[in-house]
Amino acid sequence: MSDQTAELEMETDEDAYLLGPKAISAILYAVDIDDAAKLTELMEPLHAADIADLLEQINAYDRSRLIRLYGREFDGEILSELDESVREEVIAVLTPQVLSQAVRDMDSDDVVDLVEDLEDHQQSAILDALEDADRHAVQRALGYPEYSAGRLMQREVVMAPEHWSVGEAIDHLRATPEDELPDQFYHIVIVDPRLHPVGNVTLGKLMRSKRVTKLCDITEETFRVIPAVQAESDVAYAFNQYHLISAPVVDEEGRLIGIITIDDAMAVMDEEHEEDILRLAGVGEGSLSDRVIETTKQRLPWLAVNLVTAIAASLVIAQFEVALAQIVALAVLMPIVASMGGNAGTQSLTVAVRAIATKDLTGANVWRVIRREVLVGLVNGVIFAAIMGIVGVIWFGSPALGYVIAAAMVINLVVAGLAGTAIPVILERVGVDPALASGAFVTTVTDVVGFFAFLGLAALVLL
Amino acid sequence: MSDQTAELEMETDEDAYLLGPKAISAILYAVDIDDAAKLTELMEPLHAADIADLLEQINAYDRSRLIRLYGREFDGEILSELDESVREEVIAVLTPQVLSQAVRDMDSDDVVDLVEDLEDHQQSAILDALEDADRHAVQRALGYPEYSAGRLMQREVVMAPEHWSVGEAIDHLRATPEDELPDQFYHIVIVDPRLHPVGNVTLGKLMRSKRVTKLCDITEETFRVIPAVQAESDVAYAFNQYHLISAPVVDEEGRLIGIITIDDAMAVMDEEHEEDILRLAGVGEGSLSDRVIETTKQRLPWLAVNLVTAIAASLVIAQFEVALAQIVALAVLMPIVASMGGNAGTQSLTVAVRAIATKDLTGANVWRVIRREVLVGLVNGVIFAAIMGIVGVIWFGSPALGYVIAAAMVINLVVAGLAGTAIPVILERVGVDPALASGAFVTTVTDVVGFFAFLGLAALVLL
């Protein structure tokens, strides 16, 4: 494959994604020659999300030069699209004037998302830039727990009392000043006299209905109300499960206080998935733009856990020093049994962790799933036992060694299926995130059982 | 923690998710006593997506009894929410009358999603149940590649020529018969005389603008057109990156042929993530409702690859039989070095695979990321080398053994960082899915290097 093709692969779809390597080079060149006009021209077609990606991908030196040269063109949306890891750095580079202007243009929910992770002095710099009403709104949102619906929602809601007609709703909408309405809205929330949401009316239906029609007669079938304290992961789940486009958020008394739209729910789902996938691999958090020292800190705890696991496995091996000293073939073959068990266990646990996250693995089917995983372990165990038995015989010329490795393989793959399913389920029940902790437990089990079964059987049969 | 609490944990949020273990037991009891009225009453509050989840969680015997008892209440939306693994089975249980009615109520894009994975005879049974126009629409959609925007889109689009005024658009909307409009729509697509989409107008803006305003003066700032042949993963990426709510789909000539809405994009993103997470763990596809034999088949290839990897590592170990026979401590300690390398490599590769998927790892920063991963490997390597060096000395009383394991640890963790990043990047460039294949390559490298470095250094230093 030529270089040309490889480069195109990396750019994937030019149409969907303007930020190819060529565009980045051109932008960095404009920064190098200090050409603000050229820079503005190159950045103009880029969406704020693409500019944020660009800032994340270049190094810190280029980043600060670019931001300084871009100057007043820098807008708030770029800030809200930026990854946490570079946000503080970017904010520190912006002049106070540019920062205040950028923040004032943002929606209140975006400001909340921006300031919640900042250090105190940066947080107050941004809050001070806001107008009073906006600042109070942001501070109220920050009163809700982190990662809750209350932080995710926007305050601006289009609502109407249930006794209104279509005509009244339309007239009211037309009379409301622009700045009291959300940027985009797709539903009108129908509320009762105590401000409890009772239904949604889509704008499409509103527009196509007769002016005298009652709003309560044209509400949508699927309607869900979200408590402000609900975890944002559950919010994302509900949007995806019930195909919601927007949903009203209520306080403890069930009163309407905001609205969440599907684009925010989609972003949360993306983050949740990222978290799950990284946790499964023992990478707590972290992004590509983190520095070496931060990344090292994020990865170290899991490696430390793994070291303990590995030492535990070594202690098992140490019990069989006599056998190992007499038959070196055991040392050669023993990692195979442990490794196969570890892989089979990881397969089972990944399926289980995913199924718990998507609420597909519940009390109703947990025993059936465990039985299935054990059976799968048994079938795969028998297949690979046969293969390894033969390999053992051919390689070392010892049928007994073949039987031992075959038996150990079956045992370890069955245990892998059992542990890979049971451990995440148990962790979930005692309130520990299974994505975070399952891996360490499962590989400890498969290592210990793998070495013990193989070396123990060898000591019994071969010595 | 009491049983009560554990059960509540498992149900998580009753409000967001009605399908607790108690609800399932009650439903299965109604099936047991053959009480159709009770069943209908219990199922009534459930959303189609929840009913689909229920059908996936119960066993095949209960599933077919439930479907038979539920009879004519079974609607098409349940079918479209069902996981592929049980769809064929459910369709086989439905009577032809119930099936035709269910399918006739579905949107054309949902029918496409339903039939594309069915076997031929089931596919034609469903196509025959459709009216002519719908059948043609479904067949046209099936003409687009699998997992493309053309399969994902719905055909019903609300469009208006660019010269129209707000008043003309509203009058047209009101005059269009219900069944020519999509179930839900949020934008009007503005087209030029050649049917090329040129902009989006939100219904909110349409409703609030004066009747004489030109549509082309109130279009949204962010507007993206999606080619019908674009991969659905790129579609989902674009929706998430640019916060799109709906986007027009065009044919090769750029003419408007359909529309994709964010709820479909969100579902695709969810599936893509599921695929990535399962592929990283060596589980090709598969769901909890698959049978033992299917699951075994899905997992076997990856275990076979792992067996080859493990044997390769054993061949390396076999080169050092002399050293192992003389110093049993080497057999005890060698899995630690390999295991730490494997874990560090998995951390790096997971971060790299995710970053490639989210287009955060590109030609612009690949060298910087590789340098960072190698440095992280070096720092963690030195830390764990110190720990293991001390453990080696204390455990086996040999400083030389301590130096050897420390040096091997540093080497393997640096290699893990390098391989964990470089391998996914290379696979992506040659057109192989890095999520699918990286794991096998990276653990082969860390096993081989781990055993070779440790045993090789030991042979040099200790013998």
Side-chain angles (χ1 to χ4, degrees), chain A residues 13 50 57 81 173 176 184 208 220 230 242-243 274 282 299 302 306 314 354 362 368 373, chain B residues 13 50 57 81 173 176 184 208 220 230 242-243 274 299 306 314 332 343 347 354 362 368 373:
Chain A
D13 194 334
D50 290 327
Q57 282 174 31
E81 299 286 350
L173 262 182
T176 311
Q184 300 218 349
R208 288 177 41 78
E220 288 299 291
Q230 189 170 75
Y242 304 116
H243 309 283
E274 169 112 18
R299 309 232 181 131
W302 175 260
N306 182 61
S314 290
R354 256 311 278 178
T362 65
R368 198 146 29 84
E373 292 293 323
Chain B
D13 194 332
D50 290 328
Q57 282 173 31
E81 299 285 350
L173 263 182
T176 310
Q184 299 218 349
R208 289 175 41 77
E220 289 299 290
Q230 189 170 77
Y242 304 117
H243 309 284
E274 169 112 16
R299 308 228 182 132
N306 182 62
S314 291
V332 174
N343 269 274
Q347 291 180 331
R354 254 312 276 178
T362 65
R368 198 146 31 83
E373 293 292 324

Side-chain angles (χ1 to χ4, degrees), chain A residues 129-149:
Chain A
L130 293 175
E131 283 161 34
D132 282 357
D134 288 336
R135 185 168 53 247
H136 292 316
V138 169
Q139 281 163 335
R140 206 155 40 223
L142 290 174
Y144 289 105
E146 249 193 304
Y147 309 116
S148 68

Side-chain angles (χ1 to χ4, degrees), chain A residues 191 194-197 226 249-258:
Chain A
V191 290
R194 289 148 63 217
L195 272 183
H196 294 187
I226 295 174
V249 180
V250 295
D251 63 15
E252 314 83 72
E253 272 108 54
R255 283 180 310 230
L256 180 65
I257 52 169

